[in-house]
Amino acid sequence: MNRIGMAITKIKTDKAGMTFTEVLIAALIVLPVIIGVMQIHSYSGFLSEINKGRGLAMNALSTMIEKIQCTPMPYSNLSIYFPDGVIDGPAGYPYDDIVGGYSLNEEHITVTYTNILADPLEIIVTISWQDMKGRVFSQSLSTMKAG
């Protein structure tokens, strides 16, 4: 081969950088990974919001249970301060005052009794709320109180 042929061959075989096809293939491999990571991040934020709501709800339920347990007997006291099935409590003694104000969207607390004449008395406290997307959640705690 002459000098010109060697120079041309050398130019053709010297590769610096990547071709456009290699860049496209790399992008097709990396793109689904990036999209998956973004979806996981979005979903983890959603789960975090749900767990935050459940934590706040459990704190409110625990506060209500403590207040009920500290209310002196007889049963008539319980029915005055915590009437059966009344949402958010009686007018003069609202439940949001007991729990330090409602902190969840559309939050409501209800106290119910399985049998008001039973001894011990089973008391069920239920809280319901909505998340940002309008889905309704509900949690309950129960306790027994002997007279």
Side-chain angles (χ1 to χ4, degrees), residues 32-104:
V33 172
I34 292 173
I35 290 172
V37 168
M38 289 172 49
Q39 287 179 339
I40 289 171
H41 179 70
S42 172
Y43 190 67
S44 68
F46 165 72
L47 288 178
S48 175
E49 190 67 31
I50 288 175
N51 287 331
K52 177 184 172 187
R54 286 188 177 153
L56 291 170
M58 290 305 291
N59 286 339
L61 286 175
S62 297
T63 302
M64 285 294 295
I65 292 287
E66 286 178 27
K67 189 66 173 180
I68 290 169
Q69 287 291 352
C70 292
T71 302
M73 294 304 270
Y75 292 128
S76 60
N77 286 346
L78 286 177
S79 62
I80 291 169
Y81 296 115
F82 307 101
D84 189 19
V86 175
I87 297 173
D88 296 328
Y93 198 67
Y95 297 155
D96 65 333
D97 286 349
I98 296 171
V99 298
Y102 289 154
S103 54
L104 295 168

Side-chain angles (χ1 to χ4, degrees), residues 20-35:
F20 184 67
T21 307
E22 291 171 333
V23 170
L24 284 178
I25 291 172
L28 288 175
I29 292 172
V30 172
L31 191 62
V33 172
I34 292 173
I35 290 172

Side-chain angles (χ1 to χ4, degrees), residues 126-138:
T126 304
I127 186 168
S128 62
W129 73 96
Q130 288 183 357
D131 69 356
M132 297 289 199
K133 295 184 178 181
R135 288 178 290 234
V136 177
F137 293 89
S138 179

